[in-house]
Amino acid sequence: MTALSQHPDFSELLRVSARIGCLSFGGPAGQIALMHRELVEERGWITEDQYLHALNFCHLLPGPEAQQLAIWIGWKLHGIRGGLAAGLLFVIPGALVILALSMLYGAAAHLAWFAALFLGIKAAVLAIVVQAVLRLAGRALGTPFRKIAAVVSFLALFLFNAPFPLVVIGAGAVGWIAARWRPALLGLKGEAGSPPDTPRPWGYSVRAVLIGALAWAAPMVAVFALLGRDHVLWRVGVFFSKLAVVTFGGAYAVLAYMAQQAVSAQHWLTAAEMADGLGLAETTPGPLIMVTQFVGYLAAFRAPAPFTPLVAGLMGAGLTTWVTFAPCFLWVFALAPWIERLERAQLLKGALALVTSAIVGVIANLSAWFALQVLFHDLRPVWGGLNLPVLTSFDWRAGLIAALSAWAVIERKWNVIPVLAGAAAGGWLLSQIS
């Protein structure tokens, strides 16, 4: 292996980062595996230990861990400019694709053939979300205490409509306490090692936070000054800025909360359209949380004044993407020099462990929400925020496609792209015969 391949020049980092950004299908698991193969196994730019330490570090942060891992690798190889290049190229290809699909959706959503395709896509997405629950549960629920946390999290959300941030913060607080007094409950082994004997990089981190926060806030300042607090772009920016801070556990973990707010509180789109958006995000490269761009586009597209619908939609999509992903660069650049110390932070690891367990319950709640929206035409409120299906409104076409998709992705372990394509075709065919 040559020295150049072990430490690439900046142009080579750009080329490989663009390749990863265009091929990063399959959600965070597939994206993390792709970067490992490209950067650790084939090119040797990062060692196995460095990669695993960085991955653990990214799991501590809110936001898409795969993109943050790409930012860290770029930072490690070429500093700030490397992190910016790797992180942006990880997002831009998928952002452009889902923007084009959002524009198509805004124009064609009410056409019969388009709705027929999305009947199948939504049913397949239901199977993919169930697969995510099973996969994460296998990794995260290693002790009875962590299983209880997952169940409590699910019940709090599904039965009592508890706020998502409260569930995450509560789980983190309990995990912090358990790590201090009973680490065995979480599967932790006593106290972590001593921190490294090196100066703490406070100055670097403070500068990174200040510059990152200013960049993050700049578009919102412009929206406030030009359009005011009552405009849809301000509400979109504020909501997704808040979401970026609590996005622990990946996109699936916050989708139910996002759907609850975007559908029920803000009325930017319907529950069925929210499910359609996740279907679009599943078919594109890049982080799954890119579905936020779809929501931002439709929200502004439908309340465009003083712009045209297309211009407003593009502004909504751009603003949403910025406030969703800009914080990822802030977190990584500010905290990357602390990675070795964070690896030894026992209480922080305990908090994260129980948050991860609670996220299993959060994603299970998302599965239940999607199942109700996809498989039944009518729901009736029971009490609080709980809705139960009207059994006679069951859609047998969606049920059949969901079952076949679950068999394909869970039992046969097929890639999600052919499954989604087959489900779309199945939705169209079944719609023609029924």
Side-chain angles (χ1 to χ4, degrees), residues 1-65:
M1 187 176 292
T2 66
L4 179 61
S5 66
Q6 292 174 344
H7 190 86
D9 61 30
F10 188 66
S11 62
E12 189 175 6
L13 175 65
L14 289 176
R15 179 179 61 80
V16 174
S17 296
R19 168 183 165 82
I20 290 172
C22 292
L23 297 177
S24 57
F25 294 91
Q31 293 155 2
I32 290 167
L34 172 65
M35 284 189 283
H36 185 272
R37 185 180 72 243
E38 292 278 344
L39 304 176
V40 178
E41 296 177 6
E42 295 185 3
R43 292 174 175 82
W45 293 352
I46 299 293
T47 68
E48 184 77 25
D49 285 346
Q50 287 175 326
Y51 189 85
L52 293 176
H53 283 311
L55 181 58
N56 290 337
F57 159 67
C58 293
H59 279 132
L60 296 171
L61 305 177
E65 64 268 30

Side-chain angles (χ1 to χ4, degrees), residues 59-60 145-146 168-184 186-195 248 340-356:
H59 279 132
L60 296 171
F145 187 69
R146 297 177 73 163
V168 171
I169 293 170
V174 174
W176 183 283
I177 295 169
R180 181 175 182 83
W181 300 106
R182 296 286 299 277
L186 303 172
L188 301 178
K189 299 178 180 178
E191 290 296 325
S194 301
F248 292 93
E340 292 186 24
R341 296 178 184 275
L342 291 174
E343 276 290 310
R344 293 168 171 81
Q346 179 81 347
L347 299 183
L348 187 59
K349 289 170 70 175
L352 179 67
L354 210 63
V355 166
T356 304

Side-chain angles (χ1 to χ4, degrees), residues 26-245:
Q31 293 155 2
I32 290 167
L34 172 65
M35 284 189 283
H36 185 272
R37 185 180 72 243
E38 292 278 344
L39 304 176
V40 178
E41 296 177 6
E42 295 185 3
R43 292 174 175 82
W45 293 352
I46 299 293
T47 68
E48 184 77 25
D49 285 346
Q50 287 175 326
Y51 189 85
L52 293 176
H53 283 311
L55 181 58
N56 290 337
F57 159 67
C58 293
H59 279 132
L60 296 171
L61 305 177
E65 64 268 30
Q67 192 219 1
Q68 289 165 340
L69 181 60
I71 296 170
W72 180 86
I73 291 170
W75 175 85
K76 186 72 173 176
L77 294 173
H78 280 283
I80 296 292
R81 70 169 184 162
L84 289 171
L88 289 172
L89 289 171
F90 189 84
V91 169
I92 287 173
L96 294 176
V97 173
I98 202 166
L99 177 59
L101 292 174
S102 299
M103 293 168 66
L104 175 63
Y105 188 94
H110 299 295
L111 299 179
W113 65 269
F114 201 78
L117 291 177
F118 273 86
L119 167 71
I121 290 175
K122 286 185 286 192
V125 167
L126 172 59
I128 293 168
V129 176
V130 171
Q131 181 199 36
V133 175
L134 298 176
R135 182 184 295 163
L136 184 58
R139 296 198 311 264
L141 306 183
T143 68
F145 187 69
R146 297 177 73 163
K147 292 175 182 176
I148 292 172
V151 173
V152 170
S153 171
F154 171 77
L155 294 177
L157 291 163
F158 185 73
L159 294 181
F160 302 104
N161 202 26
F164 169 77
L166 182 63
V167 172
V168 171
I169 293 170
V174 174
W176 183 283
I177 295 169
R180 181 175 182 83
W181 300 106
R182 296 286 299 277
L185 291 174
L186 303 172
L188 301 178
K189 299 178 180 178
E191 290 296 325
S194 301
D197 186 19
T198 55
R200 292 178 172 86
W202 287 112
Y204 176 93
S205 295
V206 169
R207 287 193 300 273
V209 168
L210 291 176
I211 295 172
L214 288 173
W216 185 10
M220 292 300 295
V221 173
V223 169
F224 179 79
L226 298 174
L227 300 171
R229 297 182 60 179
D230 294 329
H231 197 274
V232 66
L233 288 177
W234 173 262
R235 299 200 306 273
V236 163
V238 169
F239 173 69
F240 286 109
S241 295
K242 293 177 181 177
L243 199 71
V245 178

Side-chain angles (χ1 to χ4, degrees), residues 397-422:
R397 301 166 304 170
L400 176 61
I401 296 172
L404 292 174
S405 299
W407 172 80
V409 297
I410 297 173
E411 291 294 326
R412 305 299 297 176
K413 303 188 186 306
W414 289 3
N415 186 277
V416 298
I417 300 302
V419 172
L420 287 165

Side-chain angles (χ1 to χ4, degrees), residues 119 123 375 377 394-402 426-427 430-432 434:
L119 167 71
L375 300 180
H377 294 297
F394 178 73
D395 189 334
W396 68 269
R397 301 166 304 170
L400 176 61
I401 296 172
L430 291 176
S431 295
Q432 304 309 304
S434 62

Side-chain angles (χ1 to χ4, degrees), residues 304-328:
F307 311 103
T308 66
L310 178 59
V311 170
L314 292 173
M315 294 174 69
L319 179 64
T320 301
T321 303
W322 181 267
V323 300
T324 298
F325 292 102
C328 296

